[in-house]
Amino acid sequence: MSGVVHHVLKRGIQATQEQYQNSSDPVIAYKLPTWGIVALWATALVYMAVMFAVRYTYGSVVATLTMIETPTATAVIKVTDADSEDPDAPLLTPDEKAAQNEYIEPELLLVKTKPITSGLRSTIKHLQARAGCLARFRGLHVFLLYHIVHHGVFQLLNAFHFIPRTLAAVLATVLLSRVDLTWTHLVVSEPSTKRWYQRIPARNNFKKIVGPAAVFALAEQATIIMPATLGRVFALEKYVQEPGKFGDLTDNERVTLIIQIFLVCMIGIATTVLILIPARVALKRVEASMLPEEDESIVPFDRTFGGKVVPEILGGSGRVAMLEAWKSFDWNARVRLIKLYAKIFAIQSALSIMFVMVVVGELKLIMGDQLDQMVAYARTGTNENDWVIVPESQLSS
């Protein structure tokens, strides 16, 4: 979402400059003071930083822990005494109690503990208690390194015109799968004295993770291609490029357009829930199963997956199969993960609304009554002049 804000700001500045420089109509240009520009950009930067923090802490760290946590159960032995709870029952002597207790077998009860990742607050408290106050940002340096290098590799592969963009994105993800594996191990394990580069798995682990990484990359591309393809079928890109065309539609055409947009959104949500999330869960659980034996997980985690993972030293693969990784992720955990994503969406939506309110307040403070005049013109289009906002330097030139 922060990327969308950056694109909107950049596109708005470009459109303003083009309109101010190329328009032949009368233009009323409001001189935006330097302090106003600084205030708006500072607000945008703060918004993007906060949104990134929410996305990384909850959407990456907490989500990964939710995907791999195995709720534990505590064994409780319940011993029933020979004394009856009935007040009218006869009292027993100590010898009689001992004689009857010999025939009473203790009852073994398994009490499931509440998962640590069942709440955002409980997860963050647990992380900070085990790994310090900055635990919510653990693995951030490797996360940034991965995405920077991923972007570079993607651009390099995309430079070869015979390689499709989708294939380039998949190859970049697969080639950097060991780095992503390192990030997962940093997030799910207890703090270690080793440097992050010392925890990069050996090269022979690449063949173990390449399959799940490729499946996840393909699922990621599917969530992009399918809604985009449907959007092109509906020719929605023309309304993105020229929003003014929406005002030329009839009422029936507007209803049709809204339905088409709704369908595109539903396809995007469906592919995310049914394809992308299962692929990501399976990938993270496979990566977690490859956690070295000397590293302890920071949340309860059955790295053997009920005995299905056989260590390499015993002749096994040392990791869980991708299909088994998803099957072992029970429904309670799946519901817990979906609730987490819903909470993240709610937090980001609230932050976005707050950001818009702050920006409107800043514009009102900077522009005063002229902002109301511009809004009135945008609604009615009755003003004989065009309004644009330009920096002082742009106006003087």
Side-chain angles (χ1 to χ4, degrees):
M1 193 172 293
S2 60
V4 174
V5 174
H6 174 75
H7 174 75
V8 170
L9 289 173
K10 182 179 178 181
R11 186 69 188 95
I13 292 175
Q14 292 176 349
T16 298
Q17 292 177 344
E18 292 173 1
Q19 181 178 0
Y20 178 68
Q21 294 173 352
N22 302 328
S23 177
S24 58
D25 297 330
V27 174
I28 298 178
Y30 176 78
K31 183 173 65 176
L32 193 65
T34 303
W35 67 268
I37 298 176
V38 172
L40 291 173
W41 276 106
T43 303
L45 291 175
V46 169
Y47 168 77
M48 289 187 286
V50 173
M51 291 290 284
F52 175 80
V54 170
R55 177 196 169 194
Y56 182 78
T57 298
Y58 302 125
S60 296
V61 175
V62 176
T64 299
L65 296 177
T66 304
M67 293 172 189
I68 66 106
E69 183 182 9
T70 304
T72 57
T74 304
V76 178
I77 299 177
K78 182 180 179 181
V79 179
T80 304
D81 192 77
D83 282 339
S84 174
E85 296 180 358
D86 187 358
D88 297 328
L91 295 176
L92 301 177
T93 65
D95 292 338
E96 291 174 334
K97 288 182 182 180
Q100 291 192 18
N101 285 336
E102 291 180 359
Y103 301 98
I104 298 176
E105 295 184 358
E107 185 178 0
L108 181 63
L109 301 177
L110 291 178
V111 180
K112 289 188 177 182
T113 59
K114 187 177 181 180
I116 295 173
T117 56
S118 59
L120 298 179
R121 184 177 300 178
S122 62
T123 308
I124 298 301
K125 284 185 176 180
H126 175 79
L127 285 176
Q128 292 178 339
R130 304 297 292 267
C133 60
L134 296 179
R136 65 173 63 213
F137 297 113
R138 60 191 342 230
L140 178 60
H141 52 300
V142 178
F143 178 87
L144 295 175
L145 174 66
Y146 172 83
H147 284 279
I148 292 173
V149 178
H150 185 281
H151 178 73
V153 173
F154 169 74
Q155 293 296 335
L156 179 63
L157 294 173
N158 197 41
F160 298 95
H161 300 293
F162 60 88
I163 300 180
R165 289 179 60 89
T166 300
L167 180 59
V170 172
L171 289 176
T173 300
V174 170
L175 291 174
L176 294 174
S177 57
R178 286 173 61 212
V179 180
D180 184 64
L181 177 60
T182 304
W183 178 84
T184 301
H185 288 177
L186 288 173
V187 169
V188 305
S189 64
E190 292 279 4
S192 174
T193 57
K194 294 181 181 179
R195 299 286 185 179
W196 70 269
Y197 52 83
Q198 295 175 324
R199 303 187 64 178
I200 298 178
R203 294 181 180 178
N204 58 1
N205 287 288
F206 177 76
K207 61 183 180 181
K208 300 179 184 179
I209 201 65
V210 61
V215 171
F216 169 72
L218 290 171
E220 198 172 32
Q221 292 303 308
T223 60
I224 299 173
I225 293 175
M226 294 178 67
T229 301
L230 185 60
R232 283 194 293 269
V233 171
F234 292 150
L236 298 181
E237 65 274 7
K238 63 183 179 182
Y239 300 104
V240 177
Q241 298 171 355
E242 300 181 37
K245 288 187 175 181
F246 183 80
D248 300 332
L249 299 177
T250 63
D251 292 340
N252 291 335
E253 290 174 337
R254 291 182 181 181
V255 171
T256 302
L257 178 61
I258 292 173
I259 294 175
Q260 292 173 342
I261 295 174
F262 176 78
L263 290 176
V264 171
C265 293
M266 289 298 100
I267 290 294
I269 294 174
T271 52
T272 299
V273 173
L274 300 178
I275 299 177
L276 182 60
I277 291 180
R280 179 173 175 80
V281 169
L283 173 63
K284 292 305 168 185
R285 290 175 67 82
V286 170
E287 292 176 340
S289 70
M290 298 170 62
L291 185 68
E293 294 183 3
E294 63 270 18
D295 294 330
E296 294 293 334
S297 59
I298 200 167
V299 295
F301 170 60
D302 179 18
R303 64 176 71 197
T304 67
F305 286 82
K308 293 183 173 61
V309 177
V310 181
E312 287 183 301
I313 194 173
L314 299 178
S317 62
R319 70 167 179 85
V320 68
M322 188 173 187
L323 184 59
E324 182 60 36
W326 171 248
K327 286 183 177 180
S328 60
F329 192 62
D330 59 30
W331 278 104
N332 291 331
R334 297 177 189 182
V335 172
R336 194 163 67 247
L337 182 62
I338 294 298
K339 287 182 178 179
L340 170 63
Y341 285 131
K343 292 177 183 178
I344 296 172
F345 177 77
I347 293 173
Q348 290 183 327
S349 299
L351 288 173
S352 299
I353 294 173
M354 186 182 303
F355 167 75
V356 172
M357 295 173 63
V358 170
V359 170
V360 171
E362 289 178 339
L363 288 174
K364 181 66 176 178
L365 179 64
I366 296 169
M367 300 179 61
D369 295 337
Q370 290 179 323
L371 177 63
D372 298 330
Q373 297 176 17
M374 291 182 63
V375 172
Y377 169 64
R379 289 178 176 177
T380 62
T382 56
N383 197 321
E384 61 182 1
N385 300 313
D386 288 334
W387 286 79
V388 294
I389 303 175
V390 295
E392 289 180 334
S393 59
Q394 182 69 28
L395 186 62
S396 60
S397 61

